[in-house]
Amino acid sequence: MAVSVAWLLLLTALPLPWRPAAQAVPGQAGKGWAALERALQAAGGRDKLAAVRDMSFDLQSRVVTPQGEFDIESKSQVILPGIVRQESRLPFGVVVMAFSSAGGWRKGLQGPEKLSAAELRIAQAELARANILFRPPSDPSAVSWAGEDSVDGRPCDAVEIANVGGGPLRLCVDRASGDVVKRSYRTDASVEEMASDFREVNGLRLSFRLRVIRDGKLARESVTQNLKINAGLKAEDLLRRPK
């Protein structure tokens, strides 16, 4: 499973302790929706975000595991909402993988193999959470205000979105900038993703650094490089298996 864990960690274009997402505050349904709309506007607005069809980028990551720390270089190509190809250079070799809603594959030192149904569900869930602002909910009833929070001393509104990647996703929206500076959710662990280094690209404001905390411990730090948007990527190219 070491290979699987490595590339799954990288999908979230992922040390505060986990705090369970608060329940919706009675009478505050509109407040959560307003906070989400403020985040979308800060990122470029719903129209510009919806116009993003594909992205390609490089990641430089430091991954922390019980066996030690190691660096990963990866190149990712994404066609929204759910087609991905990623080539990762790990300490033990190069791993190439691709998937869509119909299935996926991976090729490493042991040759090509099909992604299991469980791996595919995990990958799609990670992608849905990572790209929530590009494909946000359109139903206000799916969004609730979960209270006030603070990230690195910055006052935030906590917003909970129902059923993203199979469970609730909590976003912390910086009250001053509108940036989503933290995502929180639960899988087999409590996960917090701390976003920083926001920059303007093609009229969008996006984070270029991510720090991932799992069960209160640092799991990964990633830096995005060479980001390209709407380069005309084609699904058949991303899903084509290497010979």
Side-chain angles (χ1 to χ4, degrees), residues 14 28 31 57 65 82 89 98 102 104 115 165 198-199 201 217 225 228 238:
L14 178 191
Q28 296 285 7
K31 191 170 182 178
F57 54 90
T65 73
R89 188 172 299 278
L115 296 184
F198 287 84
R199 306 180 197 174
V201 180
K217 297 180 181 180
Q225 299 174 335
K228 297 179 181 179
L238 271 60

Side-chain angles (χ1 to χ4, degrees), residues 127-199:
L127 191 64
R129 288 187 288 259
N131 292 327
I132 186 63
L133 295 187
F134 293 103
R135 298 297 184 265
S138 57
D139 180 4
S141 68
V143 182
S144 60
W145 188 67
E148 299 177 352
D149 206 336
S150 178
V151 177
D152 295 332
R154 302 161 72 175
C156 299
D157 287 306
V159 176
E160 184 173 299
I161 305 175
N163 195 25
V164 180
L169 174 66
R170 181 173 174 175
L171 308 179
C172 286
V173 181
D174 186 316
R175 287 183 174 172
S177 66
D179 296 331
V180 175
V181 292
K182 183 171 74 172
R183 294 191 298 256
S184 303
Y185 54 92
R186 190 168 190 81
T187 56
D188 60 333
S190 301
V191 183
E192 293 181 315
E193 300 174 348
M194 323 292 283
S196 60
D197 189 14
F198 287 84
R199 306 180 197 174

Side-chain angles (χ1 to χ4, degrees), residues 209-222:
R209 287 183 180 270
L210 194 69
R211 188 170 82 251
V212 181
I213 312 297
R214 291 175 61 86
D215 286 337
K217 297 180 181 180
L218 179 66
R220 175 170 61 88
E221 293 182 295
S222 294

Side-chain angles (χ1 to χ4, degrees), residues 23-102:
Q23 297 296 315
V25 179
Q28 296 285 7
K31 191 170 182 178
W33 184 254
L36 176 62
E37 286 296 320
R38 189 167 69 252
L40 294 170
Q41 190 60 38
R46 277 186 180 266
D47 290 345
K48 286 185 179 179
L49 290 164
V52 176
R53 300 179 300 277
D54 63 66
M55 295 180 288
S56 62
F57 54 90
D58 299 338
L59 281 182
Q60 300 287 332
S61 300
R62 164 70 67 168
V63 177
V64 181
T65 73
Q67 293 73 37
E69 300 183 11
F70 58 92
D71 295 325
I72 298 178
E73 297 179 2
S74 65
K75 296 181 179 294
S76 299
Q77 295 173 295
V78 181
I79 298 176
L80 294 171
I83 300 175
V84 171
R85 185 183 184 92
Q86 187 177 76
E87 179 177 323
S88 300
R89 188 172 299 278
L90 298 107
F92 47 82
V94 175
V95 177
V96 182
M97 73 94 189
F99 68 86
S100 69
S101 59

